[in-house]
Amino acid sequence: AKKWINIRKSYGNFYKVPRNQTKLTMMLENLGMNYDGRPHSGLDDSKNIARIAIRMLQDGCDLRVNERMHGGQLMTVSSSVPLEGAPAPQMPRYRN
């Protein structure tokens, strides 16, 4: 993978919170969610990050690629760069 969405960065920008409030457990807590599973389990962390991403989409966030690797260096991708490829799937507008 050369491009990805850094959920911490997207969360901070969308909800207007400082970087020190974008730890996984804090993001879940601020969204009124509990951590599901065992902390630091790769699978459980991934599932919880996906729950955050779904909630952000439901709240109207336009998740875009915001980081990439170029020549072995981590780079930030500008939000003004047009999306490549197929359009993002549309998420339902309901809450659990």
Side-chain angles (χ1 to χ4, degrees), residues 8 11-13 15-23 26:
R8 289 181 68 185
Y11 177 95
N13 290 335
Y15 293 113
K16 308 290 189 244
V17 298
R19 177 95 170 138
N20 66 355
Q21 292 182 21
T22 61
K23 292 186 174 22
M26 291 183 83

Side-chain angles (χ1 to χ4, degrees), residues 14-15 33 51-61 91-96:
F14 183 69
Y15 293 113
M33 300 178 186
R51 291 173 55 224
I52 292 168
I54 289 167
R55 174 63 181 275
M56 290 174 66
L57 290 168
Q58 290 171 340
D59 286 348
C61 181
M91 299 300 296
R93 298 284 179 186
Y94 59 87
R95 293 203 175 147
N96 294 339

